Amino acid sequence: MHSPELLKGTLQTIVLKVLKDHGKMYGYEITHRVKELSADRILLTEGALYPTLHKLEAEGLLKTEIVNIGKRMRKYYALTAPGKVEAKERVAEFVDFIRTMGNVLNVQMTS
Amino acid sequence: MHSPELLKGTLQTIVLKVLKDHGKMYGYEITHRVKELSADRILLTEGALYPTLHKLEAEGLLKTEIVNIGKRMRKYYALTAPGKVEAKERVAEFVDFIRTMGNVLNVQMTS
DNA sequence: ACCTAATACATAATTGTCTTAGGCATAAGA
DNA sequence: TCTTATGCCTAAGACAATTATGTATTAGGT
C-alpha cells in the first residue's frame, strides 16, 4: 500500500481517466479495477469514491444510468463530452506535475 | 502553478530531499530553492513549511542551528542520520507511487 | 528622510479531502 | 446458517495545506 498522503488530490484524476479508458463503469467496479491496475497498491475507499462521483456528476463531467440486476442496482457512470476534455487535461496536468517533481527531487522518473 | 491538490502529501518529501541535496538550509531559502527548481510551479507557503520543519525536527529527522546575521536570525536545518535514511525512503516511495499511477492512468511517465 | 519590497521567523483560523465508521440490502458459497 | 461478496450510500473526525495574520530587520528607490 502506498502512503495515503501521496494519493491525495489524485482521486478525481484516477476516476476520470479510468472511465475514459474503460467506458461506463459502476462504483464498486471502479474500486476493483483500480486495485487491479495498481497491483493492490491503491485501494479506493467507498467513503471517498462515492462523494467524488457525485461531485463530478454535479459538475457535469459524468452522466449516470441505473441498471437493475435482479433486485440489486448498479449505477453506471460515464464521461460526458466535457468530462472527456477534463480527463485529458487532468492527466496532462498530472504528468506535468511529475516532471516538475522530478526536477525538484532531482530524480529521473523514467521507467 | 500546479493544482495545489496534487502537491498535498509531497511537502515532507520535498523538504527532506532538498536538504539532502543542498546541505543545511533555512526556511526562507528552501521556499526560494524549490521555486527555482520547479520553474515557479511550486510555491511553498510559509504557513505550511514552518510547521513541517518543526514536525520533522520533533521526529528527529532534522537538526537546527541558529545563526545571527546582524540583528536578524537564521535557523538552519540539516538532516540527521535518520533523516538521511528517511529522505531516501521517501523519494523511493514517491518514485514507486508514480510508477503505480502510470499503470493506473495508462500513461508513460518517461521524460 | 520616507516608503516599499525583500528578508526571516512564526502562529491561528479556516478549508478541503480523505479515512474511519457506520448503515442498508441482495446474492452466493461453505 | 453464517460469512463473504456485491452494491449503494452518508456522517464524524483526522489531517494537511491555504489563507490571513503578526513581528522585526535590512536594502533600495525617490
Side-chain angles (χ1 to χ4, degrees), chain A residues 9-55:
Chain A
T10 63
L11 181 52
Q12 291 191 9
T13 303
I14 289 173
V15 168
L16 290 168
K17 187 52 161 60
V18 168
L19 280 174
K20 193 183 180 193
D21 289 345
H22 299 91
K24 69 175 185 182
M25 298 177 79
Y26 51 100
Y28 189 77
E29 186 184 10
I30 293 174
T31 62
H32 284 257
R33 184 81 72 174
V34 170
K35 183 178 188 290
E36 186 189 350
L37 289 171
S38 69
D40 294 2
R41 286 200 185 83
I42 297 178
L43 306 176
L44 301 187
T45 59
E46 300 186 325
L49 178 63
Y50 287 110
T52 295
L53 287 170
H54 300 162
K55 192 186 174 198

Side-chain angles (χ1 to χ4, degrees), chain B residues 73-90:
Chain B
M73 76 122 156
R74 274 186 194 162
K75 197 168 171 183
Y76 279 96
Y77 291 86
L79 294 180
T80 59
K84 287 177 190 172
V85 174
E86 187 72 16
K88 194 175 178 179
E89 287 175 356
R90 292 294 186 94

Side-chain angles (χ1 to χ4, degrees), chain B residues 40-101:
Chain B
D40 294 3
R41 286 200 184 83
I42 297 178
L43 306 176
L44 301 187
T45 58
E46 299 187 323
L49 179 63
Y50 288 111
T52 295
L53 287 170
H54 300 162
K55 192 186 173 198
L56 293 174
E57 185 187 6
E59 288 170 359
L61 302 176
L62 302 183
K63 62 191 169 197
T64 61
E65 177 196 353
I66 293 177
V67 176
N68 289 310
I69 309 293
K71 284 183 181 175
R72 209 150 56 185
M73 76 122 156
R74 274 186 194 162
K75 197 168 171 183
Y76 279 96
Y77 291 86
L79 294 180
T80 59
K84 287 177 190 172
V85 174
E86 187 72 16
K88 194 175 178 179
E89 287 175 356
R90 292 294 186 94
V91 172
E93 185 184 35
F94 185 77
V95 171
D96 190 48
F97 172 70
I98 293 314
R99 190 170 300 124
T100 298
M101 283 296 287

